[in-house]
Amino acid sequence: MPVVALISGRGSNMQALLDAGIPLAAVISNRADAKGLAIAAARDVPTAVVEHRAYATREAFDAALAAEIDRYAPRLVVLAGFMRILTPRFVERYAGRLMNIHPSLLPDFPGLDTHARALAAGAKRHGCTVHFVTSELDHGPIVIQAEVPVLPGDTADALEARVLREEHVIYPRAVKWFLDGRLDLRDGKVRVKGGDAQLVTAPR
Ligand code: NHR
Ligand code: GAR
């Protein structure tokens, strides 16, 4: 089966992929306590844990992770709330077939704690981005984005929930495009064959 998902926690994006009928060959977590592992197992998706703490270096962890992934020979590897920065060597190995979902409208707010940072900046809109992974963190070619309003009185939690609903819409869409051979990567930019919208605006 074509897709392997890497998770670190809750697994709601992984679940959205399964709910959309994306065939996951395996779900791999860097944390044994990731809630998403139980969700995958309950749906008979094979799971594995490669604990980053068991490895002395990022290179060693990434090599073990790659070995586990490659048992399934996936066409695509998706980061679904995966929280470890990957080494250039790992990223090279899966170049053009490694995707991430990031909870901001990139290039705004790469890195962590994006919802609180968007509020602190006084942003009037926020959202999420599916992108191909390159070795520059959260800077790879953008596949699709969804935008949500920032509302008066928003807390980071309220904003996160609004964004997460859109993540669950755009990640399955992006993965389907990839599996259907509809993504063209040229000059560091992604185009969808057929011209489907690569920006989704959530109604308020
Ligand atoms: N790796 C590369 N090379 N490029 C990207 O674009 C990546 C990546 C690995 C993960 C997801 C990402 C996000 O969407 C992602 C994109 C973790 C961190 C982080 O600082 C930052 C960004 C992302 C994921 N991780 C800490 C670390 O030391 C650990 C934090 C923790 O365990 O909670 O790896 O935002
Ligand atoms: C999601 O909001 C995802 O975009 C974000 O973590 C959450 C994971 O939720 N990813 C990152 O912040 C990557 N650094 P999930 O486990 O329920 O899919």
Side-chain angles (χ1 to χ4, degrees), residues 5-16 18 24 26-49 80-81:
L6 306 186
I7 67 170
S8 296
R10 181 175 53 189
S12 74
N13 276 291
M14 173 214 80
Q15 183 168 4
L18 288 170
L24 296 185
V27 171
I28 304 172
S29 173
N30 65 305
R31 292 183 184 275
D33 63 354
K35 295 274 194 298
L37 289 171
I39 299 171
R43 299 186 184 209
D44 297 321
V45 175
T47 61
V49 175

PDB file of all heavy atoms in Angstrom, residues 5-16 18 24 26-49 80-81:
ATOM      1  N   ALA A   5       2.442   6.829   7.383  1.00  0.00           N
ATOM      2  CA  ALA A   5       2.255   8.052   8.172  1.00  0.00           C
ATOM      3  C   ALA A   5       3.172   8.024   9.394  1.00  0.00           C
ATOM      4  O   ALA A   5       3.281   6.998  10.075  1.00  0.00           O
ATOM      5  CB  ALA A   5       0.806   8.186   8.613  1.00  0.00           C
ATOM      6  N   LEU A   6       3.811   9.164   9.650  1.00  0.00           N
ATOM      7  CA  LEU A   6       4.628   9.326  10.853  1.00  0.00           C
ATOM      8  C   LEU A   6       3.898  10.258  11.812  1.00  0.00           C
ATOM      9  O   LEU A   6       3.451  11.340  11.409  1.00  0.00           O
ATOM     10  CB  LEU A   6       5.996   9.938  10.508  1.00  0.00           C
ATOM     11  CG  LEU A   6       6.824   9.241   9.429  1.00  0.00           C
ATOM     12  CD1 LEU A   6       8.206   9.895   9.326  1.00  0.00           C
ATOM     13  CD2 LEU A   6       6.970   7.749   9.720  1.00  0.00           C
ATOM     14  N   ILE A   7       3.749   9.835  13.051  1.00  0.00           N
ATOM     15  CA  ILE A   7       3.037  10.626  14.048  1.00  0.00           C
ATOM     16  C   ILE A   7       3.873  10.753  15.321  1.00  0.00           C
ATOM     17  O   ILE A   7       4.853  10.022  15.507  1.00  0.00           O
ATOM     18  CB  ILE A   7       1.662  10.007  14.404  1.00  0.00           C
ATOM     19  CG1 ILE A   7       1.831   8.673  15.138  1.00  0.00           C
ATOM     20  CG2 ILE A   7       0.813   9.817  13.141  1.00  0.00           C
ATOM     21  CD1 ILE A   7       0.535   8.115  15.732  1.00  0.00           C
ATOM     22  N   SER A   8       3.433  11.681  16.189  1.00  0.00           N
ATOM     23  CA  SER A   8       4.049  11.796  17.517  1.00  0.00           C
ATOM     24  C   SER A   8       3.014  11.818  18.632  1.00  0.00           C
ATOM     25  O   SER A   8       3.383  11.718  19.802  1.00  0.00           O
ATOM     26  CB  SER A   8       4.880  13.088  17.616  1.00  0.00           C
ATOM     27  OG  SER A   8       5.964  13.080  16.714  1.00  0.00           O
ATOM     28  N   GLY A   9       1.737  12.020  18.287  1.00  0.00           N
ATOM     29  CA  GLY A   9       0.758  12.245  19.350  1.00  0.00           C
ATOM     30  C   GLY A   9      -0.636  11.774  19.008  1.00  0.00           C
ATOM     31  O   GLY A   9      -0.866  10.626  18.633  1.00  0.00           O
ATOM     32  N   ARG A  10      -1.548  12.741  19.069  1.00  0.00           N
ATOM     33  CA  ARG A  10      -2.993  12.495  18.988  1.00  0.00           C
ATOM     34  C   ARG A  10      -3.431  11.728  17.744  1.00  0.00           C
ATOM     35  O   ARG A  10      -4.309  10.886  17.786  1.00  0.00           O
ATOM     36  CB  ARG A  10      -3.656  13.872  19.031  1.00  0.00           C
ATOM     37  CG  ARG A  10      -5.134  13.916  18.996  1.00  0.00           C
ATOM     38  CD  ARG A  10      -5.566  15.365  19.167  1.00  0.00           C
ATOM     39  NE  ARG A  10      -4.880  16.234  18.185  1.00  0.00           N
ATOM     40  CZ  ARG A  10      -4.919  17.565  18.208  1.00  0.00           C
ATOM     41  NH1 ARG A  10      -5.586  18.197  19.158  1.00  0.00           N
ATOM     42  NH2 ARG A  10      -4.288  18.262  17.283  1.00  0.00           N
ATOM     43  N   GLY A  11      -2.867  12.067  16.599  1.00  0.00           N
ATOM     44  CA  GLY A  11      -3.185  11.298  15.393  1.00  0.00           C
ATOM     45  C   GLY A  11      -4.472  11.677  14.688  1.00  0.00           C
ATOM     46  O   GLY A  11      -4.981  10.910  13.858  1.00  0.00           O
ATOM     47  N   SER A  12      -4.989  12.883  14.945  1.00  0.00           N
ATOM     48  CA  SER A  12      -6.268  13.219  14.297  1.00  0.00           C
ATOM     49  C   SER A  12      -6.100  13.414  12.788  1.00  0.00           C
ATOM     50  O   SER A  12      -7.015  13.098  12.014  1.00  0.00           O
ATOM     51  CB  SER A  12      -6.916  14.446  14.942  1.00  0.00           C
ATOM     52  OG  SER A  12      -6.248  15.635  14.588  1.00  0.00           O
ATOM     53  N   ASN A  13      -4.960  13.907  12.347  1.00  0.00           N
ATOM     54  CA  ASN A  13      -4.745  14.029  10.897  1.00  0.00           C
ATOM     55  C   ASN A  13      -4.606  12.653  10.249  1.00  0.00           C
ATOM     56  O   ASN A  13      -5.139  12.420   9.155  1.00  0.00           O
ATOM     57  CB  ASN A  13      -3.529  14.908  10.599  1.00  0.00           C
ATOM     58  CG  ASN A  13      -3.894  16.383  10.598  1.00  0.00           C
ATOM     59  OD1 ASN A  13      -4.607  16.841   9.707  1.00  0.00           O
ATOM     60  ND2 ASN A  13      -3.456  17.111  11.626  1.00  0.00           N
ATOM     61  N   MET A  14      -3.887  11.752  10.924  1.00  0.00           N
ATOM     62  CA  MET A  14      -3.796  10.370  10.443  1.00  0.00           C
ATOM     63  C   MET A  14      -5.185   9.760  10.329  1.00  0.00           C
ATOM     64  O   MET A  14      -5.536   9.113   9.335  1.00  0.00           O
ATOM     65  CB  MET A  14      -2.925   9.575  11.425  1.00  0.00           C
ATOM     66  CG  MET A  14      -2.866   8.099  11.171  1.00  0.00           C
ATOM     67  SD  MET A  14      -2.736   7.221  12.733  1.00  0.00           S
ATOM     68  CE  MET A  14      -4.457   7.263  13.247  1.00  0.00           C
ATOM     69  N   GLN A  15      -6.026  10.005  11.339  1.00  0.00           N
ATOM     70  CA  GLN A  15      -7.395   9.486  11.329  1.00  0.00           C
ATOM     71  C   GLN A  15      -8.190  10.078  10.171  1.00  0.00           C
ATOM     72  O   GLN A  15      -8.958   9.361   9.509  1.00  0.00           O
ATOM     73  CB  GLN A  15      -8.073   9.823  12.661  1.00  0.00           C
ATOM     74  CG  GLN A  15      -9.469   9.262  12.769  1.00  0.00           C
ATOM     75  CD  GLN A  15     -10.018   9.355  14.185  1.00  0.00           C
ATOM     76  OE1 GLN A  15      -9.397   9.908  15.088  1.00  0.00           O
ATOM     77  NE2 GLN A  15     -11.185   8.795  14.384  1.00  0.00           N
ATOM     78  N   ALA A  16      -7.988  11.365   9.901  1.00  0.00           N
ATOM     79  CA  ALA A  16      -8.705  12.003   8.783  1.00  0.00           C
ATOM     80  C   ALA A  16      -8.305  11.349   7.460  1.00  0.00           C
ATOM     81  O   ALA A  16      -9.134  11.186   6.558  1.00  0.00           O
ATOM     82  CB  ALA A  16      -8.428  13.497   8.754  1.00  0.00           C
ATOM     83  N   LEU A  18      -7.359   8.179   7.081  1.00  0.00           N
ATOM     84  CA  LEU A  18      -8.047   6.883   7.058  1.00  0.00           C
ATOM     85  C   LEU A  18      -9.526   7.059   6.746  1.00  0.00           C
ATOM     86  O   LEU A  18     -10.098   6.329   5.925  1.00  0.00           O
ATOM     87  CB  LEU A  18      -7.867   6.162   8.405  1.00  0.00           C
ATOM     88  CG  LEU A  18      -6.472   5.606   8.676  1.00  0.00           C
ATOM     89  CD1 LEU A  18      -6.357   5.146  10.120  1.00  0.00           C
ATOM     90  CD2 LEU A  18      -6.146   4.453   7.721  1.00  0.00           C
ATOM     91  N   LEU A  24      -3.293   3.403   4.290  1.00  0.00           N
ATOM     92  CA  LEU A  24      -2.034   3.524   5.025  1.00  0.00           C
ATOM     93  C   LEU A  24      -1.424   2.145   5.216  1.00  0.00           C
ATOM     94  O   LEU A  24      -2.053   1.246   5.777  1.00  0.00           O
ATOM     95  CB  LEU A  24      -2.268   4.185   6.397  1.00  0.00           C
ATOM     96  CG  LEU A  24      -2.781   5.624   6.402  1.00  0.00           C
ATOM     97  CD1 LEU A  24      -2.841   6.158   7.840  1.00  0.00           C
ATOM     98  CD2 LEU A  24      -1.907   6.526   5.537  1.00  0.00           C
ATOM     99  N   ALA A  26       1.280   1.643   7.003  1.00  0.00           N
ATOM    100  CA  ALA A  26       1.743   1.573   8.393  1.00  0.00           C
ATOM    101  C   ALA A  26       1.725   2.961   8.998  1.00  0.00           C
ATOM    102  O   ALA A  26       1.759   3.963   8.283  1.00  0.00           O
ATOM    103  CB  ALA A  26       3.166   1.010   8.463  1.00  0.00           C
ATOM    104  N   VAL A  27       1.654   2.991  10.325  1.00  0.00           N
ATOM    105  CA  VAL A  27       1.770   4.227  11.089  1.00  0.00           C
ATOM    106  C   VAL A  27       2.947   4.048  12.038  1.00  0.00           C
ATOM    107  O   VAL A  27       3.005   3.052  12.777  1.00  0.00           O
ATOM    108  CB  VAL A  27       0.468   4.519  11.871  1.00  0.00           C
ATOM    109  CG1 VAL A  27       0.661   5.679  12.827  1.00  0.00           C
ATOM    110  CG2 VAL A  27      -0.674   4.798  10.894  1.00  0.00           C
ATOM    111  N   ILE A  28       3.879   4.979  11.994  1.00  0.00           N
ATOM    112  CA  ILE A  28       5.092   4.883  12.813  1.00  0.00           C
ATOM    113  C   ILE A  28       5.174   6.108  13.708  1.00  0.00           C
ATOM    114  O   ILE A  28       4.984   7.237  13.259  1.00  0.00           O
ATOM    115  CB  ILE A  28       6.348   4.797  11.918  1.00  0.00           C
ATOM    116  CG1 ILE A  28       6.226   3.618  10.941  1.00  0.00           C
ATOM    117  CG2 ILE A  28       7.612   4.660  12.772  1.00  0.00           C
ATOM    118  CD1 ILE A  28       7.337   3.566   9.879  1.00  0.00           C
ATOM    119  N   SER A  29       5.446   5.875  14.997  1.00  0.00           N
ATOM    120  CA  SER A  29       5.549   6.968  15.966  1.00  0.00           C
ATOM    121  C   SER A  29       6.936   6.984  16.597  1.00  0.00           C
ATOM    122  O   SER A  29       7.551   5.937  16.800  1.00  0.00           O
ATOM    123  CB  SER A  29       4.499   6.785  17.062  1.00  0.00           C
ATOM    124  OG  SER A  29       4.682   7.746  18.087  1.00  0.00           O
ATOM    125  N   ASN A  30       7.398   8.178  16.950  1.00  0.00           N
ATOM    126  CA  ASN A  30       8.646   8.286  17.699  1.00  0.00           C
ATOM    127  C   ASN A  30       8.384   8.236  19.207  1.00  0.00           C
ATOM    128  O   ASN A  30       9.311   8.316  19.991  1.00  0.00           O
ATOM    129  CB  ASN A  30       9.389   9.585  17.347  1.00  0.00           C
ATOM    130  CG  ASN A  30       8.622  10.824  17.761  1.00  0.00           C
ATOM    131  OD1 ASN A  30       7.460  10.992  17.373  1.00  0.00           O
ATOM    132  ND2 ASN A  30       9.232  11.680  18.559  1.00  0.00           N
ATOM    133  N   ARG A  31       7.100   8.125  19.579  1.00  0.00           N
ATOM    134  CA  ARG A  31       6.725   8.034  20.996  1.00  0.00           C
ATOM    135  C   ARG A  31       5.800   6.842  21.197  1.00  0.00           C
ATOM    136  O   ARG A  31       4.766   6.737  20.522  1.00  0.00           O
ATOM    137  CB  ARG A  31       5.979   9.285  21.459  1.00  0.00           C
ATOM    138  CG  ARG A  31       6.851  10.523  21.495  1.00  0.00           C
ATOM    139  CD  ARG A  31       6.070  11.713  22.020  1.00  0.00           C
ATOM    140  NE  ARG A  31       6.889  12.901  21.958  1.00  0.00           N
ATOM    141  CZ  ARG A  31       7.755  13.270  22.910  1.00  0.00           C
ATOM    142  NH1 ARG A  31       7.862  12.548  24.010  1.00  0.00           N
ATOM    143  NH2 ARG A  31       8.493  14.343  22.765  1.00  0.00           N
ATOM    144  N   ALA A  32       6.125   5.992  22.162  1.00  0.00           N
ATOM    145  CA  ALA A  32       5.319   4.797  22.421  1.00  0.00           C
ATOM    146  C   ALA A  32       3.937   5.159  22.931  1.00  0.00           C
ATOM    147  O   ALA A  32       2.988   4.396  22.764  1.00  0.00           O
ATOM    148  CB  ALA A  32       6.037   3.895  23.435  1.00  0.00           C
ATOM    149  N   ASP A  33       3.797   6.348  23.561  1.00  0.00           N
ATOM    150  CA  ASP A  33       2.508   6.719  24.163  1.00  0.00           C
ATOM    151  C   ASP A  33       1.622   7.533  23.217  1.00  0.00           C
ATOM    152  O   ASP A  33       0.608   8.085  23.644  1.00  0.00           O
ATOM    153  CB  ASP A  33       2.742   7.478  25.474  1.00  0.00           C
ATOM    154  CG  ASP A  33       3.490   8.790  25.264  1.00  0.00           C
ATOM    155  OD1 ASP A  33       3.936   9.063  24.112  1.00  0.00           O
ATOM    156  OD2 ASP A  33       3.648   9.541  26.244  1.00  0.00           O
ATOM    157  N   ALA A  34       1.985   7.637  21.950  1.00  0.00           N
ATOM    158  CA  ALA A  34       1.169   8.414  21.002  1.00  0.00           C
ATOM    159  C   ALA A  34      -0.235   7.808  20.906  1.00  0.00           C
ATOM    160  O   ALA A  34      -0.396   6.626  20.611  1.00  0.00           O
ATOM    161  CB  ALA A  34       1.839   8.451  19.635  1.00  0.00           C
ATOM    162  N   LYS A  35      -1.238   8.627  21.143  1.00  0.00           N
ATOM    163  CA  LYS A  35      -2.636   8.168  21.109  1.00  0.00           C
ATOM    164  C   LYS A  35      -3.018   7.614  19.733  1.00  0.00           C
ATOM    165  O   LYS A  35      -3.836   6.704  19.619  1.00  0.00           O
ATOM    166  CB  LYS A  35      -3.581   9.322  21.449  1.00  0.00           C
ATOM    167  CG  LYS A  35      -3.440   9.857  22.857  1.00  0.00           C
ATOM    168  CD  LYS A  35      -4.293   9.048  23.842  1.00  0.00           C
ATOM    169  CE  LYS A  35      -4.449   9.755  25.181  1.00  0.00           C
ATOM    170  NZ  LYS A  35      -3.147   9.953  25.872  1.00  0.00           N
ATOM    171  N   GLY A  36      -2.427   8.174  18.695  1.00  0.00           N
ATOM    172  CA  GLY A  36      -2.771   7.768  17.338  1.00  0.00           C
ATOM    173  C   GLY A  36      -2.454   6.300  17.050  1.00  0.00           C
ATOM    174  O   GLY A  36      -3.069   5.702  16.160  1.00  0.00           O
ATOM    175  N   LEU A  37      -1.530   5.707  17.799  1.00  0.00           N
ATOM    176  CA  LEU A  37      -1.175   4.303  17.560  1.00  0.00           C
ATOM    177  C   LEU A  37      -2.374   3.390  17.807  1.00  0.00           C
ATOM    178  O   LEU A  37      -2.612   2.442  17.057  1.00  0.00           O
ATOM    179  CB  LEU A  37      -0.002   3.892  18.461  1.00  0.00           C
ATOM    180  CG  LEU A  37       1.351   4.508  18.105  1.00  0.00           C
ATOM    181  CD1 LEU A  37       2.381   4.201  19.195  1.00  0.00           C
ATOM    182  CD2 LEU A  37       1.839   3.990  16.747  1.00  0.00           C
ATOM    183  N   ALA A  38      -3.143   3.716  18.854  1.00  0.00           N
ATOM    184  CA  ALA A  38      -4.311   2.892  19.182  1.00  0.00           C
ATOM    185  C   ALA A  38      -5.395   3.046  18.115  1.00  0.00           C
ATOM    186  O   ALA A  38      -6.087   2.079  17.772  1.00  0.00           O
ATOM    187  CB  ALA A  38      -4.857   3.268  20.554  1.00  0.00           C
ATOM    188  N   ILE A  39      -5.535   4.250  17.596  1.00  0.00           N
ATOM    189  CA  ILE A  39      -6.530   4.497  16.544  1.00  0.00           C
ATOM    190  C   ILE A  39      -6.183   3.665  15.313  1.00  0.00           C
ATOM    191  O   ILE A  39      -7.041   3.028  14.706  1.00  0.00           O
ATOM    192  CB  ILE A  39      -6.572   5.997  16.183  1.00  0.00           C
ATOM    193  CG1 ILE A  39      -6.980   6.833  17.400  1.00  0.00           C
ATOM    194  CG2 ILE A  39      -7.497   6.241  14.998  1.00  0.00           C
ATOM    195  CD1 ILE A  39      -6.848   8.336  17.188  1.00  0.00           C
ATOM    196  N   ALA A  40      -4.899   3.658  14.953  1.00  0.00           N
ATOM    197  CA  ALA A  40      -4.460   2.885  13.787  1.00  0.00           C
ATOM    198  C   ALA A  40      -4.660   1.393  14.027  1.00  0.00           C
ATOM    199  O   ALA A  40      -5.202   0.680  13.163  1.00  0.00           O
ATOM    200  CB  ALA A  40      -2.994   3.195  13.476  1.00  0.00           C
ATOM    201  N   ALA A  41      -4.248   0.937  15.185  1.00  0.00           N
ATOM    202  CA  ALA A  41      -4.348  -0.496  15.494  1.00  0.00           C
ATOM    203  C   ALA A  41      -5.804  -0.961  15.454  1.00  0.00           C
ATOM    204  O   ALA A  41      -6.105  -2.051  14.965  1.00  0.00           O
ATOM    205  CB  ALA A  41      -3.724  -0.791  16.858  1.00  0.00           C
ATOM    206  N   ALA A  42      -6.703  -0.102  15.964  1.00  0.00           N
ATOM    207  CA  ALA A  42      -8.135  -0.452  15.973  1.00  0.00           C
ATOM    208  C   ALA A  42      -8.676  -0.615  14.561  1.00  0.00           C
ATOM    209  O   ALA A  42      -9.706  -1.254  14.351  1.00  0.00           O
ATOM    210  CB  ALA A  42      -8.927   0.605  16.731  1.00  0.00           C
ATOM    211  N   ARG A  43      -7.980  -0.033  13.599  1.00  0.00           N
ATOM    212  CA  ARG A  43      -8.413  -0.176  12.197  1.00  0.00           C
ATOM    213  C   ARG A  43      -7.527  -1.144  11.426  1.00  0.00           C
ATOM    214  O   ARG A  43      -7.466  -1.117  10.194  1.00  0.00           O
ATOM    215  CB  ARG A  43      -8.379   1.183  11.527  1.00  0.00           C
ATOM    216  CG  ARG A  43      -9.335   2.157  12.217  1.00  0.00           C
ATOM    217  CD  ARG A  43      -9.378   3.419  11.447  1.00  0.00           C
ATOM    218  NE  ARG A  43     -10.205   4.410  12.116  1.00  0.00           N
ATOM    219  CZ  ARG A  43     -10.866   5.362  11.477  1.00  0.00           C
ATOM    220  NH1 ARG A  43     -10.800   5.445  10.176  1.00  0.00           N
ATOM    221  NH2 ARG A  43     -11.566   6.241  12.145  1.00  0.00           N
ATOM    222  N   ASP A  44      -6.786  -1.950  12.189  1.00  0.00           N
ATOM    223  CA  ASP A  44      -5.927  -2.980  11.595  1.00  0.00           C
ATOM    224  C   ASP A  44      -4.833  -2.427  10.705  1.00  0.00           C
ATOM    225  O   ASP A  44      -4.387  -3.095   9.763  1.00  0.00           O
ATOM    226  CB  ASP A  44      -6.762  -4.010  10.822  1.00  0.00           C
ATOM    227  CG  ASP A  44      -7.712  -4.773  11.753  1.00  0.00           C
ATOM    228  OD1 ASP A  44      -7.278  -5.087  12.881  1.00  0.00           O
ATOM    229  OD2 ASP A  44      -8.867  -5.008  11.356  1.00  0.00           O
ATOM    230  N   VAL A  45      -4.387  -1.202  10.995  1.00  0.00           N
ATOM    231  CA  VAL A  45      -3.219  -0.658  10.298  1.00  0.00           C
ATOM    232  C   VAL A  45      -1.983  -1.030  11.132  1.00  0.00           C
ATOM    233  O   VAL A  45      -1.962  -0.789  12.336  1.00  0.00           O
ATOM    234  CB  VAL A  45      -3.320   0.875  10.157  1.00  0.00           C
ATOM    235  CG1 VAL A  45      -2.058   1.443   9.536  1.00  0.00           C
ATOM    236  CG2 VAL A  45      -4.555   1.250   9.339  1.00  0.00           C
ATOM    237  N   PRO A  46      -0.971  -1.631  10.507  1.00  0.00           N
ATOM    238  CA  PRO A  46       0.243  -1.990  11.246  1.00  0.00           C
ATOM    239  C   PRO A  46       0.886  -0.754  11.881  1.00  0.00           C
ATOM    240  O   PRO A  46       0.906   0.313  11.260  1.00  0.00           O
ATOM    241  CB  PRO A  46       1.177  -2.568  10.169  1.00  0.00           C
ATOM    242  CG  PRO A  46       0.265  -2.984   9.059  1.00  0.00           C
ATOM    243  CD  PRO A  46      -0.909  -2.056   9.105  1.00  0.00           C
ATOM    244  N   THR A  47       1.378  -0.892  13.096  1.00  0.00           N
ATOM    245  CA  THR A  47       2.027   0.231  13.781  1.00  0.00           C
ATOM    246  C   THR A  47       3.426  -0.168  14.199  1.00  0.00           C
ATOM    247  O   THR A  47       3.731  -1.345  14.379  1.00  0.00           O
ATOM    248  CB  THR A  47       1.248   0.657  15.033  1.00  0.00           C
ATOM    249  OG1 THR A  47       1.207  -0.438  15.942  1.00  0.00           O
ATOM    250  CG2 THR A  47      -0.174   1.106  14.695  1.00  0.00           C
ATOM    251  N   ALA A  48       4.278   0.856  14.352  1.00  0.00           N
ATOM    252  CA  ALA A  48       5.631   0.620  14.859  1.00  0.00           C
ATOM    253  C   ALA A  48       6.055   1.845  15.646  1.00  0.00           C
ATOM    254  O   ALA A  48       5.551   2.952  15.420  1.00  0.00           O
ATOM    255  CB  ALA A  48       6.599   0.373  13.700  1.00  0.00           C
ATOM    256  N   VAL A  49       6.958   1.630  16.589  1.00  0.00           N
ATOM    257  CA  VAL A  49       7.518   2.723  17.378  1.00  0.00           C
ATOM    258  C   VAL A  49       9.026   2.727  17.174  1.00  0.00           C
ATOM    259  O   VAL A  49       9.673   1.689  17.308  1.00  0.00           O
ATOM    260  CB  VAL A  49       7.187   2.552  18.880  1.00  0.00           C
ATOM    261  CG1 VAL A  49       7.887   3.619  19.707  1.00  0.00           C
ATOM    262  CG2 VAL A  49       5.678   2.587  19.101  1.00  0.00           C
ATOM    263  N   ALA A  80       2.289  13.548  10.074  1.00  0.00           N
ATOM    264  CA  ALA A  80       0.960  13.914  10.566  1.00  0.00           C
ATOM    265  C   ALA A  80       1.073  14.220  12.058  1.00  0.00           C
ATOM    266  O   ALA A  80       0.841  13.368  12.909  1.00  0.00           O
ATOM    267  CB  ALA A  80      -0.033  12.782  10.298  1.00  0.00           C
ATOM    268  N   GLY A  81       1.518  15.453  12.339  1.00  0.00           N
ATOM    269  CA  GLY A  81       1.808  15.807  13.727  1.00  0.00           C
ATOM    270  C   GLY A  81       3.081  15.141  14.214  1.00  0.00           C
ATOM    271  O   GLY A  81       3.203  14.792  15.383  1.00  0.00           O
TER     272      GLY A  81
END
